[in-house]
Amino acid sequence: MIGQFQELLEALSKVFNLALHVDRSNACCIQIHEGLSIQLQLDVSQENLWIFSKIVEIPPGKFRENIFKETLKENGLADPRIAVFGYLADTNHLALFQKYPLHVLNGERLSGFLGAFLMMAENWRNAIESGLPAPQKEKQTNQNPFGLK
């Protein structure tokens, strides 16, 4: 099954124009920028692809509690969800992960999932680093788009 994973990485390589391969740990880590990487790895059954990323380290205290409250709200949303939040106690990192059946993926589809995953990770990272427990929701207005009253 590592063959299927390598084939998927080759297809993704063509989309990203970037050489991707399976490493010694049977995973592929894509460094986005300093402090943010996305790891791709097959599960034990080798039928599902896990996408994982540490988002940001969050120190103990009230701010971390507020972040947890916000991430629990996100985790409680109905599927389909871009990702699920987790917490790595050993390193105090907020993390994101998601699992997809390997047989439904190709390079294009995976690149779309990764794009949404990366955007979510970046939005949360930026919010937390700015002192907010979650990204701000865009205000929705019920105004008439033509300015009519």
Side-chain angles (χ1 to χ4, degrees):
M1 288 290 176
I2 292 298
Q4 271 188 299
F5 184 37
Q6 183 60 47
E7 286 177 23
L8 180 59
L9 291 178
E10 288 172 9
L12 187 62
S13 292
K14 291 176 184 172
V15 174
F16 288 161
N17 197 23
L18 179 69
L20 300 172
H21 62 278
V22 178
D23 64 19
R24 292 186 304 262
S25 302
N26 294 324
C28 178
C29 188
I30 304 169
Q31 185 76 34
I32 306 303
H33 57 68
E34 175 107 19
L36 185 63
S37 60
I38 295 177
Q39 182 170 324
L40 308 173
Q41 187 170 354
L42 294 181
D43 67 358
V44 176
S45 72
Q46 298 192 6
E47 294 178 0
N48 298 293
L49 178 72
W50 282 102
I51 302 173
F52 170 83
S53 181
K54 289 181 185 179
I55 299 175
V56 66
E57 185 175 351
I58 48 176
K62 186 66 175 171
F63 184 55
R64 179 164 71 185
E65 290 175 23
N66 292 337
I67 293 169
F68 287 168
K69 287 177 188 174
E70 295 300 319
T71 58
L72 285 171
K73 290 176 192 175
E74 290 290 317
N75 283 351
L77 296 176
D79 282 329
R81 284 179 278 175
I82 294 170
V84 177
F85 285 98
Y87 176 69
L88 303 172
D90 293 347
T91 62
N92 291 324
H93 274 86
L94 183 64
L96 270 182
F97 64 93
Q98 188 56 281
K99 178 176 76 168
Y100 295 101
L102 189 61
H103 73 274
V104 303
L105 296 174
N106 59 34
E108 291 289 329
R109 180 175 275 179
L110 181 55
S111 72
F113 291 148
L114 287 174
F117 187 96
L118 175 61
M119 185 177 295
M120 184 175 183
E122 283 289 327
N123 287 340
W124 279 83
R125 178 184 178 96
N126 292 339
I128 292 168
E129 287 180 344
S130 298
L132 300 172
Q136 296 294 307
K137 304 277 185 203
E138 291 183 26
K139 293 183 181 178
Q140 296 178 356
T141 60
N142 292 329
Q143 292 180 343
N144 184 316
F146 303 106
L148 300 174
K149 296 182 181 181

